[in-house]
Amino acid sequence: MMNFMFIFGATNSYGVFSTYYLNVRFPTTSATTLSWIGSLITTSMFCLNTFTGALADKKGYRFTAYIGTVVCTIAYILASFSSKVWQLMLTQGVLFGVGASFLLAPTNSLAAQWFDKYRGLATGISIAGSSIGGLWFTVATQSIMDQIGPEWALRILGILTLVVTGTMNMFYFQRVPPKPRKRIIELSVTKRLTFWLIALELFAAYAGYWALVFYIGTTAKQIGGTLQDGSHLLLVLNAGTVIGRVITGYIADKFGSINTLAVSLILTVAIEVPLWMTAKSLAPLYVLCTLYGLISSTFISLNPVIVAVHFKDIPLSSVLGMTNMFSGLGGLSGSLSQGAIFETYDKRMNFTNTIIFSGTFILLSAIATLVLRAHVIKKGSDRRFFQRV
C-alpha cells in the first residue's frame, strides 16, 4: 500500500504540475507537447511492465523493487534541474516511468498472491494507497511549489521516494518463490480471447480516464478559479478513489469483479460527460470529482484480480505485465489525443470535444468488459445470465 502511494501518487497528482506547466511555466507551448510529460510516465511504467514482471518472477520481488526505488529517485532529482520541456519528458516522464515499472511489477502482484476469498478487498485496499498518495502528493506538491518552487518540490519528492519505498521493499515476501523461466514473454496467453478482451478494456479505459485528472485544474482556472482550486479538486478526486477502491473491492468479492467493473465504467461515463460539460462554477466540479473518484478508478484495482482468477496457470507478474502494456499504450495515445483535441478543436477555451473523447473511450472499455463477461459465462458450465463473474 505504501509503495502504491509513490508509484501512482506521482501520476495522480501530476495535474498540479500539468496546470503549472500549461498556465505558468510554458504558456506558449502547445498542450499536446506538454501532455507528453504525463503520458510518458504511464506509458513507460506500463509498457515496460512486461519485462519487469518477468524479472520479478525470475529474480524476486524485493530485488526488482529496489531497482525501481533507485531509478525513481534519480528521475526526480534530474527533473528538478530540467529547464526545457524535452528534458522534463526524459526525466519526469520516461525515467520516472521506468523506475515506477520496476516498483509496480512486484507491488501489483503481492495482494493477489496472498489472498483468495477476499482477494478483491485486499487488492482494493492495497491499491487505495495510490489514491492516498495522490491526496498528500497533491497537497504537498502544491504547498512546496507555492513556498519554495517546483524544483524543490521535485527534489523533496525524490528524497521521500528513496526513504519510504526503500524501507517498504524490505517487507516484500513472496508466497510462491521465484522459478526458473525460459521465456520473458508468455506468448501462450495471446492465444486466449480472455487476454485480448482484458487488453482492449485496459487500453480504452486508460485512453479516457486521465483527461479529468490532467485537466481539472485548467478547467477550474477557465471558470475563474485559481491554481489552488485546481489542487483542491484533485484532492477531492483522490479522496474519492481511496474510498471507492476499497468499497468496490468488497463489492467485487460479493458480486464478481467483472460485474462490478462493467457497472462502474458505465456509471463513470454517465457522471463525467454531463457534469464536466455543463460546469460553469466550482461547485459542480467538486461534485464531479467526488463521484468520479468514487466510481471511475475501479479498473485499476480490479484488473489484477480478474487476471489472477483467469490466468492461474501462468506466473501472475508476467501476465499483469503483458496486460499493463496495453494500459501504457492507451494512456499515451489518449493523453496525446486529448492534448491535440484541446489545442485544435477546443481552442484552449473549453473541453467539450476532449470530454466527448474521454467518455467515448471509457464507454468502449465498458463494452469490452461486457463482452468479456459473456465470454467467461460461455466458457463455464453455468450459463445463467445473472451470476457472480
Side-chain angles (χ1 to χ4, degrees):
M1 183 175 183
M2 291 293 291
N3 276 4
F4 269 123
M5 290 187 190
F6 286 83
I7 297 169
F8 283 104
T11 307
N12 290 343
S13 64
Y14 176 72
V16 175
F17 285 104
S18 176
T19 304
Y20 171 76
Y21 294 152
L22 193 61
N23 296 282
V24 179
R25 190 169 182 179
F26 305 110
T28 59
T29 303
S30 71
T32 307
T33 301
L34 291 174
S35 69
W36 272 97
I37 302 171
S39 302
L40 287 169
I41 297 176
T42 53
T43 304
S44 302
M45 176 169 61
F46 287 127
C47 286
L48 284 176
N49 219 220
T50 300
F51 303 99
T52 56
L55 180 67
D57 284 332
K58 184 175 182 179
K59 295 294 185 181
Y61 287 5
R62 193 178 301 166
F63 172 79
T64 308
Y66 272 118
I67 295 176
T69 292
V70 173
V71 176
C72 284
T73 302
I74 293 172
Y76 273 127
I77 301 303
L78 290 178
S80 72
F81 292 101
S82 301
S83 57
K84 307 291 184 182
V85 173
W86 68 266
Q87 294 171 341
L88 289 169
M89 289 181 188
L90 292 178
T91 55
Q92 191 175 5
V94 175
L95 190 58
F96 181 86
V98 170
S101 182
F102 279 95
L103 270 172
L104 178 64
T107 306
N108 213 18
S109 303
L110 274 178
Q113 191 178 90
W114 281 96
F115 292 87
D116 186 14
K117 182 178 179 180
Y118 297 106
R119 182 177 284 159
L121 179 60
T123 304
I125 292 173
S126 64
I127 296 183
S130 63
S131 305
I132 296 172
L135 279 173
W136 73 262
F137 261 65
T138 300
V139 175
T141 301
Q142 187 66 64
S143 178
I144 298 170
M145 286 174 64
D146 290 342
Q147 295 182 42
I148 54 179
E151 294 81 8
W152 271 105
L154 289 165
R155 289 165 197 157
I156 291 172
L157 290 176
I159 294 169
L160 287 172
T161 299
L162 177 64
V163 173
V164 176
T165 65
T167 302
M168 292 300 106
N169 294 344
M170 296 170 59
F171 301 97
Y172 272 35
F173 299 104
Q174 289 173 258
R175 186 179 66 83
V176 180
K179 296 180 180 180
R181 299 186 52 178
K182 296 181 180 179
R183 298 179 297 274
I184 294 178
I185 301 177
E186 296 287 348
L187 292 176
S188 61
V189 303
T190 62
K191 299 177 182 179
R192 305 183 190 183
L193 180 58
T194 302
F195 170 82
W196 290 109
L197 289 172
I198 293 173
L200 175 59
E201 171 257 312
L202 280 168
F203 178 90
Y206 273 89
Y209 174 75
W210 297 107
L212 185 65
V213 177
F214 288 170
Y215 291 117
I216 190 62
T218 302
T219 302
K221 202 167 185 305
Q222 284 181 346
I223 60 177
T226 64
L227 295 179
Q228 287 71 26
D229 290 323
S231 296
H232 294 157
L233 286 164
L234 269 180
L235 192 65
V236 170
L237 193 155
N238 282 304
T241 60
V242 174
I243 301 169
R245 285 172 183 169
V246 175
I247 292 176
T248 52
Y250 177 78
I251 293 173
D253 286 331
K254 297 292 183 182
F255 299 100
S257 298
I258 296 177
N259 291 337
T260 306
L261 178 59
V263 172
S264 69
L265 288 169
I266 293 170
L267 288 175
T268 297
V269 179
I271 290 166
E272 178 197 34
V273 175
L275 284 177
W276 192 2
M277 195 173 290
T278 60
K280 303 298 181 183
S281 65
L282 291 175
L285 290 183
Y286 276 106
V287 174
L288 168 63
C289 287
T290 301
L291 296 176
Y292 194 83
L294 285 170
I295 296 170
S296 67
S297 60
T298 52
F299 69 92
I300 296 175
S301 57
L302 292 183
N303 271 289
V305 179
I306 295 171
V307 170
V309 169
H310 296 285
F311 294 92
K312 294 179 180 179
D313 56 323
I314 298 175
L316 182 57
S317 290
S318 299
V319 186
L320 284 174
M322 294 177 69
T323 56
N324 281 340
M325 178 178 68
F326 291 90
S327 303
L329 294 173
L332 177 64
S333 59
S335 296
L336 294 181
S337 299
Q338 289 153 17
I341 291 169
F342 176 53
E343 192 81 30
T344 305
Y345 297 100
D346 291 326
K347 307 296 183 183
R348 288 200 178 200
M349 299 297 293
N350 57 64
F351 285 93
T352 301
N353 294 288
T354 307
I355 295 166
I356 293 172
F357 176 92
S358 173
T360 300
F361 271 87
I362 295 174
L363 182 59
L364 174 61
S365 182
I367 293 171
T369 305
L370 291 172
V371 175
L372 173 63
R373 182 183 189 276
H375 174 65
V376 169
I377 292 175
K378 185 178 180 180
K379 286 199 311 177
S381 57
D382 186 354
R383 301 296 181 85
R384 291 175 305 162
F385 181 80
F386 294 103
Q387 61 172 288
R388 182 180 179 274
V389 182

